Amino acid sequence: MIPASPQDLAKALAEVGYLADEGLAIAGHLALRLGRPLFLEGDAGVGKTAFAQALADATGAHFVRLQCYEGLDASQALYDWDFPRQILHLRTVEAAAVAAGDKPDTAALEASLYDRRFLIARPLLAALERTPSVLLVDEIDRADDEFEAFLLEVLADAAITIPELGRIAAERPPLTVLTSNRTREVHDALKRRCLYHWVEHPSVKREVAILRSRLPEVTERLAAEVAEAIRRMRELDLIKPPGVAEALDWASALSALGADGLDRDVAAATLGAVLKYREDIERVRESEPWRT
């Protein structure tokens, strides 16, 4: 079900635990209404992946995720044949024929090996076969140029051709959400097919709301002080500025230690929950962003 307005979409997302800002709600609504892929770019940890999952939950669609990485090829993203099951089927048919004193029909046996039941659907095929579905192509910037070109073709046709089975087309094209952390520039040809939105880090107020929504055990004071300290960290020249996920991890760790506010010693001791580089931890300890 497609929400009637961006405001309705934002409300539906909030009901499944995702607090979207106005710009992201508008981009998501337009992608749903126009049937266009949505390209989300932004720093790691700002909620791009979580948005796609929440969009599927809010609209009742099936969620399919394709995680991209260097070397990903079409077969890993589309489909594969279940060779162990095919061999078992082959041996079973041959054994039954021998037991009956018959000779297997070679042509029929070969054709039966390439039945749909022996086909393993990888993410792209799964998204085409399930309706409605939200297809998340996560971190497309990590994939190779060749895979980008292939993905562009699949998105254009919303169909694939399997030589042994023929053409499989989506009854309704999946809503595709592509994400990028901008480790490299994605080709313009792919971006032109998509609606584009840059996902910003949340404001302090919205981050407090996210913390309180996801971690109800965290006090209002602790959530506010964590959000403010995280904001200050993002202004430092860090190797990996913290995202929302790290803010949640830090608040959860502090709460587990019984903190109801950002104590200097406890904050410094738990920086491993929010920062993942020694240089970043040293820089933050020197700047003490939790100071009031």
Side-chain angles (χ1 to χ4, degrees):
M1 178 180 177
I2 300 177
S5 68
Q7 294 75 21
D8 289 338
L9 177 59
K11 183 178 178 182
L13 290 170
E15 289 174 354
V16 297
Y18 190 95
L19 303 181
D21 62 22
E22 182 182 15
L24 187 54
I26 290 174
H29 177 71
L30 289 176
L32 287 167
R33 283 289 176 187
L34 302 178
R36 295 277 299 279
L38 177 60
F39 191 97
L40 299 180
E41 204 164 41
D43 295 333
V46 294
K48 303 183 296 295
T49 298
F51 174 76
Q53 174 70 73
L55 196 60
D57 293 341
T59 58
H62 179 66
F63 179 69
V64 180
R65 178 177 181 176
L66 172 61
Q67 178 63 52
C68 296
Y69 52 87
E70 187 177 353
L72 177 66
D73 62 28
S75 65
Q76 294 163 317
L78 272 177
Y79 67 90
D80 203 356
W81 289 104
D82 192 340
F83 293 116
R85 286 190 64 203
Q86 287 176 313
I87 292 172
L88 181 61
H89 172 72
L90 178 64
R91 289 176 177 172
T92 301
V93 172
E94 288 178 337
V98 170
D102 298 328
K103 184 177 180 180
D105 184 334
T106 304
L109 181 55
E110 182 179 349
S112 71
L113 289 175
Y114 293 99
D115 187 79
R116 178 63 186 85
R117 59 185 166 144
F118 297 124
L119 191 69
I120 301 173
R122 302 302 185 193
L124 291 182
L125 177 58
L128 293 176
E129 290 188 317
R130 294 290 296 266
T131 300
S133 65
V134 171
L135 169 64
L136 168 63
V137 182
D138 212 9
E139 297 183 318
I140 183 63
D141 52 319
R142 294 186 181 275
D144 301 325
D145 292 350
E146 294 78 7
F147 184 76
E148 266 190 53
F150 160 73
L151 182 63
L152 185 63
E153 181 180 349
V154 173
L155 293 180
D157 296 339
I160 63 166
T161 298
I162 300 174
E164 299 85 355
L165 296 178
R167 189 171 186 267
I168 298 178
E171 181 181 334
R172 185 196 311 172
L175 173 63
T176 304
V177 178
L178 303 97
T179 73
S180 168
N181 295 334
R182 211 170 188 179
T183 58
R184 70 168 177 86
E185 287 295 333
V186 175
H187 288 185
D188 288 342
L190 183 59
K191 281 188 172 182
R192 280 198 303 268
R193 290 202 59 83
C194 306
L195 299 172
Y196 177 87
H197 185 74
W198 175 269
V199 183
E200 299 279 0
H201 287 288
S203 65
V204 171
K205 181 179 179 181
R206 193 160 68 88
E207 194 143 30
V208 169
I210 293 170
L211 292 172
R212 293 285 287 154
S213 172
R214 299 287 295 276
L215 301 171
E217 70 276 12
V218 171
T219 65
E220 182 75 30
R221 175 190 167 195
L222 179 59
E225 292 181 0
V226 165
E228 179 59 30
I230 290 288
R231 181 192 66 79
R232 294 176 182 177
M233 288 184 197
R234 289 170 183 154
E235 293 176 350
L236 301 174
D237 186 22
L238 300 181
I239 297 172
K240 170 62 175 68
V244 176
E246 288 76 25
L248 287 164
D249 287 345
W250 198 25
S252 181
L254 290 164
S255 180
L257 293 173
D260 63 355
L262 264 186
D263 175 85
R264 175 183 177 181
D265 293 335
V266 175
T270 55
L271 284 177
V274 67
L275 301 171
K276 310 303 176 183
Y277 290 90
R278 177 179 59 84
E279 298 87 343
D280 287 350
I281 291 176
E282 290 177 353
R283 189 170 291 116
V284 167
R285 281 178 177 163
E286 290 173 2
S287 65
E288 296 189 332
W290 44 81
R291 287 182 301 180
T292 57

